[in-house]
Amino acid sequence: MARRGGGRADPGAAPVDAEALAELLARSLAGRVRLARLLALQHAVLEHNVAPAVVLAWRRGMLQQMLQTAALLERRCPALRAGEGLRFFLHLHAAAVGLHQMTHPAPELAATLTCPTIGPLRLDFAAALQAHAAALLRGLQPDEAARSE
């Protein structure tokens, strides 16, 4: 995965545990407000308003980027076995889209979230995404029986 400034992530870097990776990914996306908003709009709005050939080209490029990121995640996070990075990344993408929509209501509706009777429906995007990513990674870890085989 390319870093800002054109450098590459260090392939020999130390492994990252599931909790640290979940925190890093959630914090990173939460800090990229426009990207999170565009991801939330991509499927529901943007892809419905362009020609199919444009969507296909976009999706092919997106898949290549996701495969590169998935491979990097698999190399750095022992919780991800070979081939599981893309599945994790797709599930994280879906969670980010849904959580962004839930945590960023239209300005006219934002005031309704201050109502005490619906307090449990208020979520923090970064915290909820981190919890979701961590749960996904824990679910992908092999259980004790599989490790002893």
Side-chain angles (χ1 to χ4, degrees), residues 1-7 21-41 65 69 72 89 92-93 96-97 99-101 103-104 125-126 129:
M1 181 164 91
R3 289 185 174 179
R4 287 184 186 194
L21 179 60
E23 192 273 333
L24 174 69
L25 292 172
R27 184 171 30 95
S28 177
L29 187 56
R32 291 173 172 84
V33 178
R34 285 190 185 137
L35 175 60
R37 185 167 184 264
L38 286 171
L39 289 175
L41 293 172
Q65 290 294 318
T69 302
L72 175 62
F89 206 63
L92 186 64
H93 175 89
V97 168
L99 287 168
H100 189 275
Q101 291 174 356
T103 58
H104 294 84
F125 177 73
L129 188 60

Side-chain angles (χ1 to χ4, degrees), residues 21-141:
L21 179 60
E23 192 273 333
L24 174 69
L25 292 172
R27 184 171 30 95
S28 177
L29 187 56
R32 291 173 172 84
V33 178
R34 285 190 185 137
L35 175 60
R37 185 167 184 264
L38 286 171
L39 289 175
L41 293 172
Q42 174 185 338
H43 305 289
V45 178
L46 301 176
E47 290 183 354
H48 288 262
N49 291 300
V50 295
V54 173
V55 174
L56 182 59
W58 167 257
R59 290 256 176 143
R60 284 180 174 149
M62 186 174 77
L63 176 60
Q64 289 307 307
Q65 290 294 318
M66 291 179 100
L67 287 169
Q68 290 175 4
T69 302
L72 175 62
L73 293 175
E74 289 170 12
R75 285 193 305 273
R76 293 289 309 276
C77 184
L80 290 170
R81 291 175 285 197
E84 291 182 333
L86 182 61
R87 184 169 58 127
F88 165 73
F89 206 63
L90 287 171
H91 284 270
L92 186 64
H93 175 89
V97 168
L99 287 168
H100 189 275
Q101 291 174 356
M102 291 174 68
T103 58
H104 294 84
E108 302 81 25
L109 301 176
T112 64
L113 291 177
T114 63
C115 181
T117 58
I118 61 166
L121 297 179
R122 284 191 300 270
L123 295 172
D124 174 75
F125 177 73
L129 188 60
Q130 180 177 342
H132 190 83
L136 278 171
L137 288 166
R138 282 191 301 272
L140 289 170
Q141 291 179 348

